[in-house]
Amino acid sequence: MFGAFFVGLLVEALSKFRKRLHRARVTAVEMRDDAAVARARGLLVGAHFLQSVLGYLAMFAAMTYAVELFAAVCLGATCGYALLNLDDEPAASTDPCCQAQCPAMEVKVVPDGSATAELPTRDVAPADVELPTCCGGAAAALEETKREDAV
């Protein structure tokens, strides 16, 4: 049961680690440090693999239909979120399918006028950058909310 708790906690810890690593990779790209970019990319792939394995392990524990294991996984994930990810901005949707289909949710306009989908912040997209319409328009609704908050 303690193992199931720690699997849930580790999934959230890896999520935090991947976010930090992604920001470090973006910084390395901006600084044109090819060695750091390559190192970050390798670590991101490894962290994604490990997070996938732990996620499936947590799902396997929950699917045993043992209420105590299900509760331990959920409690571990909740504690991990509360300790590590509570201050992060929530995604436009909690649906993992939607998050995978909306990679352009992170668009940033750089000074030369081009746009990139790799940077972790979102500024107002130029008119020629089409916002994704997946998840029943969640991306467009989020963008509209951000524009209203900016005014």
Side-chain angles (χ1 to χ4, degrees):
M1 188 156 53
F2 291 111
F5 175 84
F6 285 114
V7 165
L9 187 74
L10 284 174
V11 169
E12 288 295 324
L14 275 169
S15 176
K16 180 70 168 189
F17 174 72
R18 287 181 59 203
K19 289 176 189 176
R20 282 187 168 181
L21 195 55
H22 179 72
R23 285 192 298 266
R25 185 179 76 83
V26 169
T27 302
V29 167
E30 290 172 350
M31 295 174 53
R32 304 205 188 287
D33 185 355
D34 293 337
V37 171
R39 198 170 36 251
R41 288 182 72 174
L43 287 172
L44 276 169
V45 169
H48 175 77
F49 173 78
L50 190 56
Q51 188 175 11
S52 295
V53 168
L54 288 174
Y56 280 112
L57 186 61
M59 180 184 67
F60 178 69
M63 294 299 292
T64 61
Y65 299 107
V67 175
E68 61 277 2
L69 289 178
F70 177 77
V73 167
C74 291
L75 187 60
T78 302
C79 288
Y81 175 78
L83 293 172
L84 303 169
N85 296 317
L86 192 59
D87 294 331
D88 292 346
E89 181 178 340
S93 171
T94 57
D95 182 8
C97 179
C98 177
Q99 291 176 5
Q101 292 177 5
C102 296
M105 286 297 294
E106 296 183 359
V107 173
K108 180 165 174 97
V109 178
V110 292
D112 67 356
S114 63
T116 179
E118 291 186 336
L119 298 174
T121 60
R122 182 179 178 96
D123 292 339
V124 177
D128 61 336
V129 175
E130 185 177 328
L131 292 173
T133 57
C134 68
C135 304
L142 177 65
E143 185 60 31
E144 185 62 32
T145 302
K146 286 184 177 183
R147 286 187 185 134
E148 289 173 0
D149 290 345
V151 175

